[in-house]
Amino acid sequence: MTALPTLAVVGATGAVGTVMCELLTGRRNVWGEIRLIASERSVGRRVRCRGEEMIVQALTPEAFDGVDVAMFDVPDEVSAEWAPIAVSRGAIAVDNSGAFRMDRDVPLVVPEINPEQVRNRPRGIIANANCTTLAMIVAVAPLHREYGLRELVLASYQAVSGAGKSGVDILHDQLTKVAGDRALGSRTGDVRQAVGDDLGPFPAPLALNVVPWAGSLADAGWSSEEMKIRNESRKILGLPDLKVSATCVRVPVVTAHSVAVHAVFASEVDAEGAREALRNAPGVILVDDPAAGEFPMPIDAVGTDPSWVGRIRRALDDPRALDFFVTGDNLRKGAALNTAQIAELLAKELRA
């Protein structure tokens, strides 16, 4: 029997890397040696993974010698430099950053949708989609297969953990500052005054507020997050001309991104037929009983793997359109889990 492949986790001490180690502990073991790699400040730390204490190694070219698959969860510029180095040392790189997603020679893979694309990797790199796209696309794909998708109009409700630990910390700090004053939010400027000037990675206070912005400024007033959803959805579904319009909103939720979806299809749709398609779809859990107060919500989806889908209804003015709501843990399926699933497809290929 072929030996189990060697896996490297780059960025093992970050928010997503920590979740990755948890997943590796709980999922079916398909790996031999696992190496945890991080920046210089984390070298020597002990991290528990797969039931044992592992010492974090430095990010060096030699760290990839003998590695079969390297999973990257690091900033774009780090992935852009180091993923090709890992490939040059013989590894296949699975990258969770935005560095390679729209590269024509790098497949953008969601295992529930296009697993065959893992073999199409001329650069030796496979990209993982943006966390907001992933939460939504797992639910959209089975409906596309059933009805033929033509257009998406989306509004995201993105958790602060999407901006990293600093985003989570600043929300908790702001909540502490506003707690106890029940008059806050009733006068112009009172929340800003209570929160102060420390906004962390956000352009405005998140406590008692929503901010219609996520990402950096792109062309014509669009944000980078909005463009990611558009471009990545097209690539994952293989629909280069798909009409997509997104508005990304940051909300005072710690973890789990949500998306309100208006999807237009080529044929007439039926709400119950859509529920049936989603009920049987991999990676999806249907939570759709408004009469009982059962909806897909971040406080329930956090810490779980599927995309939670509900509020499914046919559009009032277009028999070809559906409206629904999706939420999913942006650190799990939105990042660590999808990366791990891609790596597991590679492990199976390497042992074939």
Side-chain angles (χ1 to χ4, degrees):
M1 179 181 290
T2 306
L4 292 174
T6 297
L7 174 71
V9 181
V10 185
T13 58
V16 175
T18 301
V19 175
M20 185 70 70
C21 290
E22 294 174 4
L23 287 171
L24 290 170
T25 300
R27 292 178 69 80
R28 185 170 64 90
N29 183 31
V30 298
W31 304 107
E33 180 189 355
I34 294 178
R35 300 180 194 175
L36 305 185
I37 300 172
S39 62
E40 194 64 38
R41 66 179 178 273
S42 295
V43 172
R45 281 181 54 182
R46 293 180 177 272
V47 175
R48 192 159 187 82
C49 181
R50 207 171 54 171
E52 59 182 291
E53 295 286 331
M54 298 185 183
I55 298 175
V56 175
Q57 303 180 33
L59 179 58
T60 65
E62 293 75 22
F64 297 105
D65 289 346
V67 169
D68 297 294
V69 179
M71 301 191 299
F72 283 79
D73 184 68
V74 291
D76 291 11
E77 63 274 12
V78 179
S79 281
E81 177 183 358
W82 285 93
I85 292 173
V87 173
S88 73
R89 294 280 176 157
I92 302 168
V94 183
D95 182 44
N96 188 41
S97 82
F100 302 101
R101 288 173 187 155
M102 301 315 299
D103 189 315
R104 292 182 60 184
D105 292 328
V106 175
L108 186 60
V109 175
V110 181
E112 294 89 344
I113 300 172
N114 59 347
E116 72 286 348
Q117 288 297 315
V118 297
R119 295 179 179 271
N120 176 29
R121 49 175 194 271
R123 294 189 61 184
I125 300 170
I126 300 170
N128 196 37
N130 174 267
C131 48
T132 312
T133 304
L134 277 167
M136 176 270 300
I137 206 73
V138 174
V140 166
L143 299 174
H144 166 54
R145 287 192 289 268
E146 190 73 19
Y147 301 111
L149 185 64
R150 292 293 179 267
E151 183 177 354
L152 288 171
V153 180
L154 311 166
S156 74
Y157 304 79
Q158 294 179 219
V160 295
S161 58
K165 184 178 183 298
S166 63
V168 177
D169 289 343
I170 202 69
L171 175 60
H172 282 299
D173 290 345
Q174 291 179 4
L175 291 173
T176 299
K177 291 176 181 178
V178 303
D181 188 346
R182 297 194 176 191
L184 283 176
S186 60
R187 299 182 305 279
T188 301
D190 61 353
V191 172
R192 289 184 183 273
Q193 184 176 5
V195 166
D197 296 330
D198 187 6
L199 302 177
F202 309 117
L206 260 296
L208 306 180
N209 194 31
V210 299
V211 179
W213 187 261
S216 57
L217 183 62
D219 293 339
W222 295 94
S223 80
S224 59
E225 288 284 308
E226 291 158 352
M227 297 308 296
K228 286 176 187 177
I229 294 175
R230 179 178 188 262
N231 296 334
E232 293 173 21
S233 296
R234 289 175 158 192
K235 186 173 181 178
I236 293 165
L237 296 173
L239 298 172
D241 298 319
L242 179 67
K243 296 179 180 180
V244 182
S245 182
T247 300
C248 288
V249 182
R250 193 73 71 177
V251 297
V253 168
V254 173
T255 299
H257 291 344
S258 303
V259 185
V261 180
H262 177 81
V264 182
F265 298 92
S267 59
E268 187 169 333
V269 296
D270 170 75
E272 190 49 47
R275 289 188 191 94
E276 191 61 25
L278 291 166
R279 191 176 287 116
N280 296 318
V284 171
I285 183 169
L286 188 65
V287 185
D288 193 20
D289 190 354
E294 295 182 358
F295 318 103
M297 293 181 289
I299 58 170
D300 300 316
V302 63
T304 72
D305 291 341
S307 289
W308 294 45
V309 188
R311 292 300 322 279
I312 299 166
R313 61 240 189 251
R314 190 166 82 165
L316 294 174
D317 301 313
D318 187 346
R320 300 173 300 117
L322 280 173
D323 289 276
F324 54 95
F325 194 80
V326 187
T327 189
D329 188 317
N330 51 294
L331 300 180
R332 292 182 73 89
K333 181 56 181 175
L337 175 61
N338 201 74
T339 307
Q341 288 174 308
I342 294 170
E344 287 166 1
L345 291 175
L346 294 171
K348 182 178 180 180
E349 175 188 326
L350 291 169
R351 296 197 69 199

